[in-house]
Amino acid sequence: MAKSQYIVVVGCGRLGSILASQLSGEGNSVVVIDRHESVFDHLGGEFSGFQIVGDATELAVLRSAKADKADCLLAVTDSDNINIMVAQIAKKLFDIPRVLARVFDPNREAIYREFGIETISPTQLSAEAFVKSLN
């Protein structure tokens, strides 16, 4: 079994709640941050981590999540701008070793890479899956 990690998930929508629940279920320590308390209802039964209501672009919120101790931060809100801002803060100010961000606009991926941030683009992944299905 892989070593347990301390993971901060920013955004608890459909993707964030699935990630947080799965990662927690695998034995990782997970903290989820979202501005809306009601979205924590999406977390699955296997989630045993912590929930923080707040804006992850604010340093105090990331400090309360103990971001300085995190092995990884996943920025998966529905806003490319928030994701890149949180990812940059995580990388530069909290020195989190692994930072990944969801980016909807594939044209922005190059900008994220310039900042040393790994990206996942659902738009690009979907396009590739559709093209592959047609072949």
Side-chain angles (χ1 to χ4, degrees):
M1 183 167 137
K3 177 184 159 256
S4 176
Q5 295 187 70
Y6 181 55
I7 302 169
V8 177
V9 177
V10 177
C12 194
R14 288 181 298 247
L15 177 60
S17 61
I18 290 170
L19 285 169
S21 296
Q22 285 182 354
L23 292 166
S24 179
E26 291 173 2
N28 295 291
S29 297
V30 180
V31 174
V32 184
I33 303 170
D34 200 286
R35 294 183 304 171
H36 306 287
E37 188 172 8
S38 62
V39 298
F40 295 127
D41 293 341
H42 299 297
L43 292 166
E46 62 275 8
F47 181 76
S48 62
F50 296 95
Q51 306 160 14
I52 296 176
V53 178
D55 182 346
T57 62
E58 296 178 11
L59 294 178
V61 172
L62 290 171
R63 282 189 191 105
S64 70
K66 296 183 173 58
D68 60 321
K69 307 260 191 266
D71 297 300
C72 180
L73 180 136
L74 307 174
V76 294
T77 73
D78 60 2
S79 167
D80 284 356
N81 291 333
I82 290 173
N83 290 343
I84 193 165
M85 189 181 309
V86 170
Q88 283 181 287
I89 292 168
K91 198 114 177 109
K92 300 289 184 198
L93 299 180
F94 289 93
D95 201 30
I96 298 175
R98 188 120 193 245
V99 176
L100 291 96
R102 172 167 65 174
V103 56
F104 290 100
D105 183 351
N107 296 323
R108 291 184 171 187
E109 281 187 289
I111 296 167
Y112 281 59
R113 273 190 238 107
E114 286 177 25
F115 292 114
I117 298 163
E118 293 180 66
T119 62
I120 304 289
S121 173
T123 306
Q124 189 65 39
L125 291 173
S126 295
E128 290 168 7
F130 275 102
V131 169
K132 183 178 179 183
S133 293
L134 294 174
N135 293 328

